[in-house]
Amino acid sequence: MSEHFDVVVVGGGPAGLSAALNLVRARRRVLLVDSNRPRNSATLLSHGYLTRDGISPLELRKLGREEFLSYDEGTHWQTIATSISKPGEAFVVDCEFRGQQARATADVVLVATGLQETLPAIDGLRAFYGTFVHSCIECDGYGKRDQALAVIGEHADLAERALLLTQWSDDLVVFTNGSAEAVTEAEEALLASRGVRTDRRAIASLQGGREGLTGIELEGGEVVPREGGFVRPAWAGKLEYVAPLGADLDDDGLLIVDDHGRTSVAGLYAAGESTAPGPQQLIVAAGSGARVAAVVNRDLIGGLAELGDRVQ
Ligand SMILES: Cc1cc2nc3c(=O)[nH]c(=O)nc-3n(C[C@H](O)[C@H](O)[C@H](O)COP(=O)(O)OP(=O)(O)OC[C@H]3O[C@@H](n4cnc5c(N)ncnc54)[C@H](O)[C@@H]3O)c2cc1C
């Protein structure tokens, strides 16, 4: 037997929690399915979320779940969605966690399972990630202000990221880790004009210990002293469980949506970083969840098309 809901929200990060909260307040029966693996779990403190600056990632989610579950219409399962299909009128959401299987059906599914990030394969990087080396400049630039920083990455936006970071520190070295594409010669010249050096050598390891990062060891053995840094991970969708629905994905494997969060499959919506994200911040994801929840509610009411072009 499976339980039926108006909406199943898959993913309980800020996008999913915010969508779920707004939907129960719209008197929708909502199931929140979440494996509770915060994207930002590598860090102890989250910054920039209005009224919650400095909160731990897990605490922010705990507060969000409590708010959602204070409504009778809210149900939460800690589990992993393994497949979403639509064999008939309703969506079927299959879940499994530690051998326990569960199934729910729903009129609408809202995907908010975020994205998967992969760090460059550099010895020692993971040990410093979230404490001395970060990925989100807006989130962690302030904590690294005026430090000697490394800007590490292999993608075409590396110069843009370095330029952004000059707002927080004037002691930056860009490391392309041997990637030819990361920084063009024109970008290198622009960065140099702002006092930022580009080092194109491959990185052997990140040096330091519990007390912090001390330097970037390059191939050949030279160590460039650095106190902290920012890395550009690779970002991609992890949406195999949605595959049976055949929704359109972009080149990064993220769901393509219209301006309102509707995917190419009727009744399937996406919010937060499961879609091409924009600024990757908690409050942006939460805002996206609230916005898509409003659309879901209106679509479920229906009839708006008949009102014609008087509808905004
Ligand atoms: C190290 C680090 C530090 C950061 N620090 C900050 C910061 O200080 N401030 C800030 O504003 N932003 C920060 N961010 C960015 C922030 O984490 C993201 O912008 C935000 O988490 C995106 O929210 P989301 O809801 O889209 O996805 P997520 O937060 O990634 O949530 C997705 C949820 O879906 C669940 N899930 C995934 N697959 C399934 C499945 N198949 N079934 C069920 N559940 C599933 C996951 O367990 C997770 O709970 C940081 C990111 C990183 C990597």
Side-chain angles (χ1 to χ4, degrees):
M1 282 288 288
S2 57
E3 219 177 318
H4 188 80
F5 296 86
D6 297 323
V7 185
V8 172
V9 176
V10 190
L17 283 166
S18 168
L21 177 63
N22 280 280
L23 283 162
V24 286
R25 289 186 49 78
R27 310 181 70 192
R28 301 292 175 191
R29 284 198 68 221
V30 178
L31 169 65
L32 177 67
V33 170
D34 182 40
S35 54
N36 200 25
R37 304 290 299 269
R39 167 150 182 244
N40 51 345
S41 58
T43 191
L44 297 175
L45 305 175
S46 306
H47 292 285
Y49 197 102
L50 192 66
T51 78
R52 293 290 180 273
D53 191 32
I55 195 171
S56 89
L58 286 172
E59 179 67 8
L60 182 68
R61 285 157 166 259
K62 187 170 133 304
L63 292 172
R65 278 196 303 271
E66 283 170 5
E67 285 177 352
F68 165 66
L69 288 173
S70 69
Y71 292 82
D72 291 341
E73 294 84 354
T75 303
H76 168 239
W77 293 354
Q78 182 164 346
T79 183
I80 298 169
T82 51
S83 167
I84 303 179
S85 56
K86 197 171 184 192
E89 287 287 293
F91 288 94
V92 177
V93 182
D94 284 307
C95 306
E96 184 173 344
F97 185 59
R98 295 186 179 151
Q100 285 268 84
Q101 298 189 335
R103 169 174 282 190
T105 59
D107 298 333
V108 161
V109 171
L110 196 161
V111 171
T113 46
L115 48 72
Q116 191 177 38
E117 64 176 27
T118 307
L119 296 175
I122 297 171
D123 192 25
L125 174 54
R126 183 150 288 284
F128 292 106
Y129 189 53
T131 48
F132 297 97
V133 178
H134 303 270
S135 54
C136 173
I137 295 172
E138 283 85 356
C139 309
D140 294 300
Y142 191 84
K144 295 282 172 278
R145 64 194 181 280
D146 299 326
Q147 293 187 9
L149 300 178
V151 189
I152 301 169
E154 300 161 358
H155 291 76
D157 58 0
L158 195 60
E160 180 193 335
R161 289 168 68 80
L163 203 54
L164 179 61
L165 251 180
T166 60
Q167 174 63 16
W168 286 273
S169 172
D170 58 8
D171 186 356
L172 304 177
V173 181
V174 170
F175 296 94
T176 65
N177 194 27
S179 159
E181 293 88 46
V183 177
T184 65
E185 282 184 15
E187 288 170 344
E188 182 173 350
L190 171 68
L191 291 173
S193 74
R194 302 291 188 105
V196 179
R197 181 170 77 79
T198 299
D199 198 314
R200 296 180 178 278
R201 288 173 285 177
I203 298 174
S205 72
L206 266 56
Q207 301 272 307
R210 279 169 160 248
E211 65 293 342
L213 183 80
T214 53
I216 310 296
E217 184 194 4
L218 297 162
E219 225 171 46
E222 185 188 336
V223 177
V224 181
R226 296 286 93 186
E227 298 169 274
F230 285 81
V231 62
R232 165 49 156 105
W235 293 302
K238 194 168 177 264
L239 294 163
E240 293 82 0
Y241 70 93
V242 195
L245 294 170
D248 293 342
L249 303 179
D250 66 16
D251 291 344
D252 295 322
L254 298 165
L255 281 161
I256 295 174
V257 291
D258 68 10
D259 288 347
H260 307 282
R262 301 184 187 99
T263 70
S264 60
V265 173
L268 182 72
Y269 298 74
E273 293 172 2
S274 296
T275 70
Q280 295 179 12
Q281 288 183 269
L282 296 160
I283 203 153
V284 176
S288 158
R291 190 160 179 253
V292 178
V295 173
V296 167
N297 185 46
R298 281 173 167 75
D299 285 355
L300 281 170
I301 292 168
L304 294 181
E306 280 98 274
L307 296 180
D309 51 15
R310 285 163 63 82
V311 175
Q312 303 275 310

